[in-house]
Amino acid sequence: MNWLLVVAGAAVGAPLRYLTDRAARARFGPGFPWGTFTVNVVGSFLLGLLTGVASARLSLLLGTGLCGALTTYSTFSYETLKLSEDGAKGHAVLNVAVSLAAGLGAVWLGVETARLW
């Protein structure tokens, strides 16, 4: 039964990632991976928030399933490599630094927000 919760969350998270990336590319162009950056920061905040307020089942549905499918380390890694290979080494370094700082900041903010409950 637990795996169905993960599947249900992932069925929502993966399309959200895809749609976010499409919207970011349409708005900002393909020069920087804003879609991946956005889903990773939002997912980090949600996961931090969930750790403090969600039950075990809700954590499986929203944490493991939704956040797991919404966020993407593999795409982040690939897009960073592509930026570097395409000659945008500054953007590649910026992507790593800003993604790491924003992700850590977002998960911290989520945890602190959960403590207010």
Side-chain angles (χ1 to χ4, degrees):
M1 179 65 185
N2 288 343
W3 67 273
L4 286 175
L5 293 170
V6 174
V7 168
V12 175
L16 280 177
R17 174 166 39 120
Y18 172 75
L19 293 172
T20 300
D21 187 59
R22 300 288 295 181
R25 284 181 187 271
R27 177 148 177 95
F28 302 112
F32 191 81
W34 288 109
T36 301
F37 174 80
T38 301
V39 296
N40 284 341
V41 172
V42 169
S44 294
F45 174 79
L46 287 175
L47 191 59
L49 183 66
L50 288 169
T51 60
V53 298
S55 66
R57 288 186 169 224
L58 195 57
S59 290
L60 285 174
L61 176 69
L62 299 178
T64 305
L66 184 117
C67 289
L70 178 66
T71 62
T72 173
Y73 185 75
S74 58
T75 302
F76 159 75
S77 299
Y78 175 74
E79 289 172 341
T80 301
L81 179 65
K82 278 300 284 175
L83 285 170
S84 180
E85 286 180 347
D86 292 346
K89 294 190 186 321
H91 281 147
V93 170
L94 184 68
N95 189 37
V96 171
V98 172
S99 291
L100 182 60
L104 288 172
V107 75
W108 173 81
L109 185 61
V111 168
E112 292 301 315
T113 301
R115 289 182 177 150
L116 297 175
W117 262 290

